[in-house]
Amino acid sequence: MYVIVMGGGRVGLNLSSFLISDGQDVTLIENNEELCSKAAAELDAMIICGNGTDTKTLEEADIKGADVFVAATGNDETNLLACILVKDYNVPKIITRISDHTHAKAFKNAGIDFAISPELTAASYLEKIILRPKIADLVVLGKGDAELLDVSVENNKVIGKKIGDISPTRDYIIVSVHENGKITIPMMDTIIERGCKISILAKTGSIKKVIDLFT
């Protein structure tokens, strides 16, 4: 996958690093020379020191060949303009960072469906860790009405039972079991053992009940 990231600040630099580590091809566009030098020293990627709202810069980055464009600067107006320009190149997926969540509607009106606030996302994630400390890991799905939890089983009420006897319900479903570093799809007769790690897809409103059942 070829990804163009505009913005070499904290968010753009970290995102680029993660994508590169995952084996993706990345080009980073940044108009600040100091940030360009930092990115060049830290990333195994093409760094273009230029303005992402300039079509010449976008074309230098081969915007026509991009699978994804990410506007990751801290300026919503700059991100919006870049996304509007990129739409003309028919990039399959356009993602933007928004610093002010009240601007989300403007991006949607411009046809940009993926508008994300890293700060709000991080704050929401931290809140869930604080309120649900027994959860090994957590991913929020959809519009926040479902969550995928990784839980270590410790409750005697479920230890020794078959998964088919307790899942699925209207509130949750056990979707995988982690054994010896491998993830397996559980059968109805799979036995739940103490300390085993399971992944559960649960309704957000039922999270506490699910945690209490297994931990």
Side-chain angles (χ1 to χ4, degrees):
M1 185 180 295
Y2 177 45
V3 184
I4 298 176
V5 177
M6 181 185 76
R10 176 179 53 84
V11 174
L13 195 63
N14 286 336
L15 173 61
S16 298
S17 179
F18 291 146
L19 289 169
I20 293 166
S21 296
D22 198 39
Q24 312 306 325
D25 293 325
V26 175
T27 290
L28 180 70
I29 299 173
E30 170 56 52
N31 62 3
N32 181 289
E33 291 187 5
E34 186 176 340
L35 290 178
C36 283
S37 297
K38 181 180 180 182
E42 295 184 15
L43 301 177
D44 181 17
M46 177 183 290
I47 311 298
I48 296 178
C49 201
N51 193 334
T53 60
D54 182 354
T55 55
K56 289 184 179 180
T57 301
L58 292 173
E59 289 174 2
E60 182 183 349
D62 188 21
I63 189 64
K64 293 179 181 178
D67 299 295
V68 183
F69 176 82
V70 183
T73 80
N75 186 293
D76 288 355
E77 290 76 14
T78 298
N79 290 344
L80 179 59
L81 177 55
C83 288
I84 291 172
L85 291 174
V86 168
K87 277 180 66 66
D88 289 338
Y89 293 93
N90 298 314
V91 176
K93 183 176 290 185
I94 301 172
I95 303 171
T96 184
R97 170 190 179 184
I98 54 173
S99 299
D100 185 343
H101 70 276
T102 63
H103 293 162
K105 186 176 181 180
F107 283 94
K108 191 168 186 63
N109 289 341
I112 313 302
D113 293 323
F114 298 95
I116 300 166
S117 169
E119 290 78 9
L120 288 178
T121 301
S124 177
Y125 185 83
L126 290 171
E127 177 201 17
K128 288 175 171 59
I129 291 176
I130 292 168
L131 297 179
R132 301 163 191 167
K134 293 182 179 179
I135 297 175
D137 201 358
L138 174 152
V139 176
V140 180
L141 303 175
K143 296 181 179 180
D145 52 2
E147 298 176 18
L148 185 64
L149 317 174
D150 284 348
V151 178
S152 294
V153 180
E154 300 294 344
N155 194 335
N156 289 329
K157 291 182 179 180
V158 297
I159 292 172
K161 288 191 174 183
K162 296 178 180 179
I163 282 182
D165 292 336
I166 59 175
S167 171
T169 72
R170 292 181 180 274
D171 297 319
Y172 71 88
I173 180 173
I174 299 173
V175 295
S176 66
V177 177
H178 305 248
E179 296 178 320
N180 301 320
K182 297 181 179 180
I183 296 177
T184 60
I185 304 300
M187 301 293 102
M188 291 294 99
D189 60 352
T190 299
I191 302 298
I192 298 178
E193 300 179 357
R194 181 181 298 278
C196 75
K197 188 176 178 182
I198 59 176
S199 295
I200 307 169
L201 180 63
K203 292 181 178 178
T204 298
S206 302
I207 294 297
K208 186 179 186 305
K209 181 167 65 175
V210 172
I211 294 171
D212 289 343
L213 176 62
F214 291 97
T215 63

